Amino acid sequence: MENNRNIILAIVLSMVVLFGWQFFVAGPQMERAQQQAQVAAEQAQAEAALATPTTTVSADGTVAPAADGSAVYADRAAAIAATSRVVIDTEDLHGSINLTGARLDDLELKQYRETVDPTSPIITLLTPAGAPNAYFAEQGWVPAAGATIAVPDGKSVWSVEGGATTLTATTPVTLRWDNGAGLIFHRTFSVDEHYLFTITQSIENTGTSDVALFPYARVARHGTPKVANFFIQHEGPHGVLGSNNLISKKYTDLQKEQQARFDNTTGWLGFSDKYWATAVLPKADAPINALFSWKNTGSYDDYQTSFVETTPVTVAAGATATHESYLFAGAKEEAVISAYQTHYGFDRLELMIDWGWFSFITKPMYYLLSFLYGIIGNFGVAVLCVTVIVKAIFFPLASRSFASMAAMRRVQPEMKAIQERFKDDRPGQQQAMMELYRKEKINPLSGCWPILIQIPVFFSLYTVIFISLDMRHAPFFGWIQDLAAPDPTNIFTLFGLIPWDPTVLPFIGSFLHLGIWPVIMGITMWVQMKLNPPPPDPTQAMIFNWMPVIFTFMLGTFPAGLVIYWAWNNTLSVTQQYFIMKRHGAEVNLLGNILDAFKRKPKASEPTKS
């Protein structure tokens, strides 16, 4: 009897465990898996729906329509003229919304021009599909997997509803599309005084059954744009996606990966150029499945950044439901982007600007530079002032570094004597050197640490100058009218007297643009090195002697603002080092060192004069 009762109790407990496991663990896990599979299917369906068909131009230059009726155009103007549009006109933006697809595919930035010439064209950001280098953004809806609901796509022709026919900062525009099966779609575009579009989509259900649709948004870019490909700043697909943090993809990397998915996340994503960006943004904390993708259509590379929200919008029969998302399209102005992040709660939107590895230093450096620019009115002079301030802050560290160099220069004669005495005995030479350092209480590495500590600060300042939109087309003095462009002079053309372009020469052409400021920078770097004690190793000495020449040619095509900063920093360092070393009793014969560099060195076979 006791055994039977134990068996029954064991069976009951086992059933409780099994059913409890099924109800509380396995069931929810299976349900979540089914939901994720459904969302993945919807994402795949969205990707198929968003695919842009290949189109061609016939041999005689006429437009050849693709299978779905889309076409390519000779240029951007032809693509814009081919469809009906709603004009965009604000203080910062000019463009239009394409009524075919209700997509934003024509946008120019009024406040920025291609060159310093005030009559040059304003910057073009977005371009319609079918035109060369198409670049556009759109929002829409994705039906649930297996549903046969007709939703608007890139070929749907919308109509303008209401009286507003021009989108301004104070006048939104509403578009309408009827699927003919009981659903009426509205899309309202509004824009602020800068670069943020708010897209409010609504669905009016006049049918007899409920409808569930998933909102999506994407930015598409046809063709691979030219990028600086410089390690300081990212250009290409990027975004901030929840716990995945900042995602940055090079165009070449995306071609290899083809797809990079980030499911069940939050955030925003798009494309970033050096000074401009376009990104689609759901509401803060809205759950999304995000996708970076690439494919080759046969005629161009098609890059896309897109998201599908994982929570459907359900529209009851006879009711209307709305959904809101955002689009950023414009200049990467720090104050504007920070204001959007604060006001709308966008997750780390500030990372749309690539502040670099030392962002905790770089951003304060930028604020200081902007503050000084507001007082001085010249961005180049502001850079010079910031460099002086940084030098002043690090003066104690620099003093220690240069004091160590002074001590090294003071014992230079003894070091040379040791080298001569132990010419063929390398271990003995090193041991004698260490004895000399111990005797004179010199740590040869003590001068390095203060410099190493300063490197992140100076690198941050360097980064600010490189990425700053404020420096673009900002004049300095004289011939420098654009601090973000290379020095326009060239010593290889005798500053314009010889009518030829040496940069077009194969192999070496890229090194043959050398302006006045890069030469000044190279001279200041060379003079600074003449203050330092020469390395005991001849190979190291040769490398140090050639470094100013190498850097001069390297910086020939760098932005003038960076070169001016570097030359000014070297000049301050020379002045600082000279006085500190003199104060510590080191003999500083700068002029003599410079003149010695031009004297012919005796060959090994020649006797030296006594």
Side-chain angles (χ1 to χ4, degrees):
M1 190 70 178
E2 182 71 24
N3 288 338
N4 290 339
R5 188 171 59 191
N6 289 340
I7 291 172
I8 293 171
L9 182 60
I11 293 173
V12 170
L13 289 175
S14 299
M15 294 293 290
V16 169
V17 170
L18 287 174
F19 281 110
W21 173 266
Q22 181 67 26
F23 184 79
F24 291 107
V25 180
Q29 286 181 350
M30 185 177 297
E31 184 178 352
R32 283 195 298 270
Q34 289 173 346
Q35 290 174 349
Q36 291 176 3
Q38 179 180 349
V39 170
E42 288 151 2
Q43 180 83 46
Q45 183 175 346
E47 293 162 16
L50 300 180
T52 305
T54 302
T55 55
T56 58
V57 178
S58 60
D60 62 0
T62 59
V63 175
D68 67 344
S70 60
V72 296
Y73 303 93
D75 54 33
R76 184 174 182 274
I80 293 172
T83 56
S84 299
R85 295 177 168 271
V86 170
V87 174
I88 301 171
D89 188 15
T90 71
E91 185 176 346
D92 287 343
L93 301 174
H94 176 269
S96 59
I97 300 169
N98 195 342
L99 291 183
T100 301
R103 62 170 54 145
L104 184 59
D105 61 1
D106 167 29
L107 201 63
E108 296 174 314
L109 309 182
K110 286 184 178 180
Q111 305 302 324
Y112 299 95
R113 296 189 176 273
E114 293 182 1
T115 69
V116 292
D117 184 352
T119 63
S120 66
I122 60 177
I123 290 295
T124 296
L125 184 63
L126 301 182
T127 296
N133 302 314
Y135 185 17
F136 56 89
E138 70 179 9
Q139 291 74 26
W141 300 97
V142 179
T148 57
I149 302 170
V151 295
D153 57 21
K155 301 185 294 294
S156 303
V157 179
W158 296 63
S159 59
V160 181
E161 188 173 74
T165 57
T166 299
L167 176 60
T168 70
T170 57
T171 309
V173 169
T174 299
L175 309 182
R176 181 182 188 274
W177 184 80
D178 191 335
N179 76 345
L183 294 181
I184 301 173
F185 294 84
H186 293 87
R187 193 169 295 171
T188 300
F189 291 84
S190 60
V191 62
D192 69 355
E193 63 273 20
H194 295 299
Y195 312 114
L196 189 68
F197 292 82
T198 302
I199 296 91
T200 304
Q201 301 189 88
S202 65
I203 307 171
E204 182 182 347
N205 187 357
T206 62
T208 57
S209 59
D210 296 351
V211 173
L213 296 174
F214 293 83
Y216 81 82
R218 67 162 175 159
V219 181
R221 194 163 202 173
H222 298 170
T224 305
K226 291 182 180 180
V227 298
N229 200 25
F230 201 63
F231 73 96
I232 285 182
Q233 185 182 43
H234 173 74
E235 295 180 70
H238 76 154
V240 171
L241 298 173
S243 60
N244 299 291
N245 298 315
L246 177 65
I247 305 296
S248 299
K249 301 283 183 181
K250 291 183 178 179
Y251 290 102
T252 51
D253 291 341
L254 195 54
Q255 289 177 10
K256 296 173 185 176
E257 297 178 36
Q258 298 191 15
Q259 273 195 8
R261 297 181 63 100
F262 299 90
D263 291 341
N264 301 311
T265 185
T266 56
W268 56 270
L269 68 168
F271 293 92
S272 181
D273 299 320
K274 183 173 183 178
Y275 298 120
W276 335 113
T278 306
V280 284
L281 310 95
K283 281 194 167 182
D285 299 325
I288 61 172
N289 284 351
L291 179 70
F292 297 87
S293 64
W294 166 87
K295 66 178 178 180
N296 186 275
T297 67
S299 56
Y300 57 81
D301 292 308
D302 181 8
Y303 302 93
Q304 294 195 31
T305 60
S306 61
F307 69 79
V308 175
E309 295 197 19
T310 59
T311 303
V313 174
T314 303
V315 193
T320 299
T322 61
H323 174 269
E324 196 172 72
S325 65
Y326 305 93
L327 168 70
F328 177 93
K332 295 196 293 188
E333 298 175 6
E334 190 279 333
V336 172
I337 291 173
S338 294
Y340 291 153
Q341 176 174 311
T342 302
H343 181 76
Y344 294 93
F346 297 135
D347 185 13
R348 290 164 284 180
L349 190 63
E350 63 182 0
L351 296 182
M352 187 175 284
I353 301 174
D354 189 355
W355 294 105
W357 301 327
F358 303 106
S359 58
F360 60 95
I361 307 174
T362 307
K363 288 194 71 175
M365 195 76 72
Y366 169 80
Y367 295 140
L368 175 60
L369 197 59
S370 297
F371 173 75
L372 292 174
Y373 171 70
I375 297 173
I376 300 168
N378 186 298
F379 198 86
V381 176
V383 169
L384 303 186
C385 291
V386 169
T387 310
V388 172
I389 292 171
V390 172
K391 282 286 186 183
I393 292 173
F394 283 103
F395 182 82
L397 290 176
S399 181
R400 290 187 58 187
S401 175
F402 295 144
S404 176
M405 291 182 184
M408 292 287 288
R409 183 172 285 280
R410 193 173 58 248
V411 298
Q412 197 72 23
E414 297 177 58
M415 292 172 63
K416 287 184 177 180
I418 291 173
Q419 290 171 6
E420 287 294 326
R421 190 164 65 249
F422 295 95
K423 187 183 301 183
D424 300 321
D425 184 5
R426 191 79 175 184
Q429 182 183 122
Q430 291 179 350
Q431 184 175 355
M433 287 285 191
M434 294 306 296
E435 286 293 332
L436 175 64
Y437 294 151
R438 193 178 301 110
K439 173 186 172 185
E440 298 292 335
K441 298 180 180 180
I442 296 174
N443 182 357
L445 297 179
S446 64
C448 299
W449 289 112
I451 295 175
L452 290 176
I453 294 172
Q454 296 177 62
I455 286 176
V457 177
F458 284 106
F459 184 76
S460 297
L461 179 57
Y462 182 86
T463 301
V464 169
I465 297 171
F466 187 86
I467 70 172
S468 176
L469 179 60
D470 305 69
M471 196 169 71
R472 183 181 185 270
H473 294 177
F476 185 52
F477 296 111
W479 64 94
I480 303 297
Q481 294 300 308
D482 183 0
L483 287 165
D487 187 326
T489 60
N490 192 346
I491 65 172
F492 294 107
T493 65
L494 293 182
F495 311 111
L497 294 178
I498 303 177
W500 75 301
D501 184 6
T503 62
V504 300
L505 295 176
F507 304 113
I508 63 171
S510 59
F511 297 101
L512 298 182
H513 182 92
L514 195 60
I516 296 174
W517 271 107
V519 172
I520 294 173
M521 188 285 306
I523 293 172
T524 59
M525 186 176 185
W526 181 72
V527 170
Q528 183 183 9
M529 287 189 171
K530 290 304 171 184
L531 274 176
N532 300 330
D537 183 65
T539 303
Q540 289 183 0
M542 182 187 68
I543 292 173
F544 277 106
N545 285 334
W546 279 100
M547 272 182 63
V549 178
I550 295 171
F551 270 76
T552 298
F553 280 91
M554 280 178 55
L555 268 68
T557 56
F558 271 46
L562 288 173
V563 181
I564 292 170
Y565 152 71
W566 210 317
W568 176 240
N569 183 60
N570 290 343
T571 303
L572 292 177
S573 296
V574 168
T575 306
Q576 195 177 49
Q577 184 173 348
Y578 180 87
F579 284 105
I580 291 175
M581 292 179 72
K582 289 286 286 183
R583 193 178 66 184
H584 284 83
E587 183 182 351
V588 184
N589 185 12
L590 179 58
L591 181 60
N593 292 344
I594 292 174
L595 293 176
D596 286 345
F598 294 99
K599 293 180 180 178
R600 189 176 74 89
K601 300 292 189 297
K603 295 181 180 179
S605 58
E606 294 181 2
T608 57
K609 294 180 181 180
S610 57

